Amino acid sequence: MKKLLLLVMLALSTLTVSAQEDSKFTFEIGAGLSKVVGSDANTKMNFSYMIGATYDFALSENFYIVPGLELINKGFKSDVLDGAVNMYYIQVPILATYKFNIADNIKLAIKAGPYAAFGAFGNDIKFTNGKKINVFDSDGGYKRFDAGLKAGVAVEISQFSIGAEYSRGFLKLDSDYKQYTQVFGLVFGYKF
C-alpha cells in the first residue's frame, strides 16, 4: 500500500512539474447583476461588480485547478427598501477548469467549483418605514458567511480573457428566511 501511494504521489508530482510552464496569474475585473433568490425573496436586480486575481494551476495540458481571491459586491433592490442593499464579500473560489484549444492562442475554458465568502462590509439597509440597520448587523442584518457554487465559460486569446460567470449561494442569508445570493456577470482578465 505504501509503495502504491508513493508511486501515485510521484506520478502526480511529475505531471504537476511538467504542466507548470502553463500556470499563470490572472488579474480579473467584472460587472453584472445580483439579487437575492429563494422562496422568501421578493427582490429586484442590482448592479454588481468584482475585482480579483486567480492562479491557473495546470495539472495537465487541458485541466487546471484555479483558486482565486475576489472582492465582490452582491446586492439587491426591493419595494420595501429605500435604495439598494450592497453587501461586499471577500470571496475565495476554487474552480476546476477544462480548456479546449480552438485555434492558435485561442482557448475555450469551462469552469465550475465551490466558493466561500466573508461579508467584509456593506451599506445601511433603509426601510420605507424609516427603520435603518447595517446589512451585517447582528441584530436584524444578514449573516456574514456565504458559500455556494460558481460556474462559467470564457474565451482566452493570448493573455486576455472574456467570459460569463454565475454564482449561487447555498447558505441562508438570514436563519428565518429562505434567501440566497445570486450573481451573473461578465468578467475580463489579463494573464501575466
Side-chain angles (χ1 to χ4, degrees):
M1 183 67 174
K2 289 181 182 179
K3 289 180 183 180
L4 179 62
L5 182 60
L6 183 62
L7 184 61
V8 168
M9 288 175 59
L10 182 62
L12 285 174
S13 64
T14 304
L15 178 68
T16 302
V17 169
S18 67
Q20 284 297 318
E21 64 190 45
D22 207 20
S23 299
K24 304 235 184 226
F25 279 102
T26 303
F27 172 75
E28 294 183 331
I29 189 164
L33 297 171
S34 66
K35 70 184 278 189
V36 172
V37 297
S39 60
D40 293 331
N42 184 14
T43 64
K44 298 174 184 172
M45 296 277 191
N46 190 42
F47 180 73
S48 175
Y49 54 90
M50 71 79 100
I51 186 169
T54 63
Y55 183 74
D56 290 15
F57 184 71
L59 296 180
S60 70
E61 184 179 342
N62 298 96
F63 187 69
Y64 298 76
I65 297 296
V66 183
L69 181 64
E70 304 167 342
L71 175 64
I72 186 166
N73 170 16
K74 300 180 182 185
F76 62 92
K77 294 179 182 175
S78 174
D79 292 335
V80 297
L81 301 177
D82 183 14
V85 173
N86 290 294
M87 302 172 285
Y88 296 89
Y89 289 90
I90 296 172
Q91 184 165 283
V92 179
I94 301 175
L95 306 178
T97 304
Y98 193 84
K99 298 182 182 183
F100 300 90
N101 288 321
I102 298 174
D104 289 341
N105 293 327
I106 301 175
K107 294 181 180 181
L108 175 67
I110 298 173
K111 50 193 170 182
Y115 74 82
F118 177 77
F121 57 93
N123 67 332
D124 287 337
I125 301 173
K126 299 173 189 168
F127 295 89
T128 53
N129 65 6
K131 183 180 175 186
K132 182 170 77 168
I133 59 170
N134 185 275
V135 71
F136 291 122
D137 191 334
S138 59
D139 185 29
Y142 290 124
K143 295 179 183 176
R144 284 189 182 268
F145 186 72
D146 187 28
L149 183 65
K150 183 174 181 176
V153 62
V155 174
E156 298 179 354
I157 303 169
S158 252
Q159 291 180 277
F160 299 94
S161 68
I162 182 170
E165 293 182 348
Y166 173 79
S167 66
R168 166 72 155 73
F170 292 142
L171 298 180
K172 291 186 209 177
L173 285 171
D174 183 317
S175 55
D176 295 335
Y177 300 101
K178 293 181 181 176
Q179 298 176 341
Y180 310 90
T181 60
Q182 174 180 278
V183 180
F184 175 78
L186 296 177
V187 178
F188 303 91
Y190 178 76
K191 294 184 184 304
F192 55 97

